[in-house]
Amino acid sequence: MSNTVHVTVEQAQDIISSNDGNENVQIASFAEIKNTGYSHTAFSKTYYIAISDSNKSYLLLASPLQERDPTPAPSSMTLPALSILLSKILDIRQTAEGNGNLPGYYSLFLDRLKSIQSACSLASLRNTLSPRELARVELKLGTYLRALHGITNDWFGIPIDTPEPEPPAAPTLSSLFATSHGGEDDDENGEDMTRYSWQDTFVLHLEELLGEVYNNAEASGNHHQSEEPGINVEELRRYLSRAIGSFLFEDVEMPRLIWVAGNEEDVIVSLAPNESEAEADIAYILPTFGHALWGDPLMEAWFMPPGPSKAINEGYFAGEEGGTLIIFPRHKTKRVWYTVYLALKILAEERRSQEKGKEEMKNVEWAREVLPKCVEILKEAPCY
């Protein structure tokens, strides 16, 4: 089965007509927003829609219905779960439906965004911004990340939608969020105790990714195998066993909402002209939370060495002197493991994708280069 997502302008027009409230509404421009950063997901696409004779603009997210993909990729969030998650993050109207105006797909329609006609990603604008403008944007980004991490949960793992046997009279968030099990339940009642330990949860998802990137390819003779980083997986697992024995990840007590793969491609920056120069500001954040977890804030890609920048750190800690997430040597070791996770996630998404562009391959090349470096660092990395 093909996992390629393709939405036509005619289908987008039907969705706009159903949701805009104006039966004569017409699309002025319709384009896919290419996700070339760490947050790329193989099974979904995002489209930007601008309306004729109006300053309205919308985002449309689409992914195949689960029925069309009976074996969903491990460690992946579904679009229905993303819809629930975004309702906790974004203060905008959204409409979600399955098999409606997009037969065979689940669509998520985000309403009334600011126009991005004069806005671009932070990645594309970085070299053109003055130090003051860049600091302004990054300071606000740090504040946003702190607010995101302020959203907490009762357990660790991937937000997914878990259907109830019968529709409850009053749906609750607990019925809409659960953790991907990746195996059999831990007790007779079906309660997954793994999700109450960050160490158990992280190791489970890391092993799933290792299996997908290496073990499955080797078993099936997939041609990708020869392209993957030449690391000794069993050696990496020995280092992981040492980390587990030292309870390296058990210092995380509160499950916090982590973007995980958020990066400069996902931050849309606007340039509003003033008397002296254009004033850079964050217009909005693209809803690229397909890899989000309830977990450890240190896992954010923004905190990957040599980051975070001084401005992001200042915004995150609200000017708190000496604020940092890395206090002890063991925290540096954890951060290396989180880089391993991100690299494996990128390689897994590349394996799942049937559309491979030049920009996406830059991240794949980065992942293939960084994995052997991480394995070498972990060889002597302290766990205490």
Side-chain angles (χ1 to χ4, degrees):
M1 183 211 74
S2 171
N3 61 29
T4 301
V5 177
H6 178 68
V7 179
T8 67
V9 66
E10 291 79 15
Q11 290 172 319
Q13 181 66 61
D14 289 340
I15 293 174
I16 291 290
S17 299
S18 300
N19 290 277
D20 185 77
N22 178 4
E23 61 181 13
N24 298 318
V25 65
Q26 293 294 319
I27 292 178
S29 62
F30 173 72
E32 179 187 349
I33 299 178
K34 294 287 187 179
N35 188 336
T36 59
Y38 298 145
S39 55
H40 167 76
T41 54
F43 297 117
S44 66
K45 285 186 178 180
T46 304
Y47 297 88
Y48 169 71
I49 304 171
I51 304 303
S52 298
D53 302 322
S54 172
N55 60 0
K56 290 182 181 180
S57 59
Y58 302 92
L59 286 184
L60 173 65
L61 284 69
S63 69
L65 287 172
Q66 191 168 355
E67 295 82 50
R68 297 182 64 192
D69 185 14
T71 56
S75 303
S76 296
M77 189 196 304
T78 65
L79 203 55
L82 179 60
S83 173
I84 300 296
L85 193 64
L86 291 179
S87 68
K88 299 167 70 71
I89 303 170
L90 303 176
D91 186 23
I92 57 176
R93 184 174 71 90
Q94 57 171 302
T95 303
E97 64 177 12
N99 234 5
N101 289 302
L102 288 178
Y105 292 95
Y106 188 95
S107 62
L108 179 58
F109 184 70
L110 303 181
D111 192 11
R112 298 182 185 278
L113 299 165
K114 294 179 181 178
S115 172
I116 61 171
Q117 297 300 323
S118 59
C120 297
S121 70
L122 176 57
S124 62
L125 288 177
R126 169 173 285 276
N127 293 333
T128 68
L129 298 176
S130 68
R132 186 184 67 83
E133 289 175 321
L134 181 58
R136 172 187 171 89
V137 170
E138 290 188 333
L139 188 70
K140 192 168 185 178
L141 178 58
T143 303
Y144 172 81
L145 287 173
R146 185 58 177 260
L148 186 71
H149 297 166
I151 302 174
T152 60
N153 195 39
D154 292 333
W155 38 257
F156 299 99
I158 300 172
I160 65 173
D161 58 313
T162 304
E164 296 285 341
E166 295 181 3
T172 62
L173 283 176
S174 61
S175 70
L176 293 169
F177 285 83
T179 297
S180 177
H181 290 233
E184 295 183 358
D185 295 331
D186 289 341
D187 63 28
E188 295 179 357
N189 296 322
E191 176 71 6
D192 179 16
M193 301 306 293
T194 298
R195 61 182 182 171
Y196 297 111
S197 162
W198 172 238
Q199 177 159 285
D200 291 349
T201 299
F202 174 73
V203 170
L204 172 65
H205 294 315
L206 186 69
E207 284 288 357
E208 284 182 342
L209 288 171
L210 278 171
E212 182 177 2
V213 174
Y214 288 98
N215 298 0
N216 292 351
E218 185 176 6
S220 63
N222 192 306
H223 72 278
H224 283 273
Q225 175 68 13
S226 62
E227 301 174 2
E228 301 308 355
I231 67 171
N232 186 323
V233 176
E234 291 309 311
E235 181 182 8
L236 181 64
R237 286 191 167 114
R238 285 199 299 272
Y239 301 155
L240 182 59
S241 295
R242 183 177 65 196
I244 294 171
S246 301
F247 304 101
L248 181 66
F249 307 99
E250 287 289 17
D251 59 349
V252 182
E253 298 179 354
M254 176 63 71
R256 299 185 180 277
L257 183 55
I258 314 301
W259 197 354
V260 178
N263 62 94
E264 294 185 355
E265 294 286 351
D266 304 321
V267 180
I268 304 302
V269 175
S270 62
L271 297 174
N274 59 29
E275 294 181 359
S276 57
E277 59 178 319
E279 189 70 19
D281 198 2
I282 294 180
Y284 57 86
I285 306 292
L286 290 174
T288 53
F289 291 87
H291 300 316
L293 290 172
W294 298 109
D296 182 0
L298 185 58
M299 198 175 191
E300 290 288 7
W302 297 101
F303 299 147
M304 184 165 49
S309 69
K310 182 178 179 181
I312 289 178
N313 200 68
E314 183 177 347
Y316 189 85
F317 288 100
E320 177 185 336
E321 186 175 353
T324 179
L325 292 175
I326 296 181
I327 301 175
F328 303 112
R330 61 184 289 126
H331 294 145
K332 291 184 178 180
T333 303
K334 270 207 307 180
R335 182 52 256 184
V336 176
W337 279 109
Y338 294 156
T339 299
V340 169
Y341 177 94
L342 180 61
L344 289 173
K345 174 67 77 171
I346 290 171
L347 293 176
E349 289 293 341
E350 188 268 344
R351 182 180 301 281
R352 301 164 190 167
S353 180
Q354 296 182 357
E355 299 177 0
K356 301 177 177 64
K358 183 177 180 181
E359 292 300 319
E360 288 88 343
M361 290 306 296
K362 289 182 180 179
N363 293 320
V364 174
E365 292 170 4
W366 169 83
R368 289 173 178 157
E369 290 175 2
V370 79
L371 265 177
K373 295 178 182 178
C374 287
V375 174
E376 184 62 28
I377 293 173
L378 291 170
K379 185 177 183 180
E380 302 293 339
C383 293
Y384 297 96

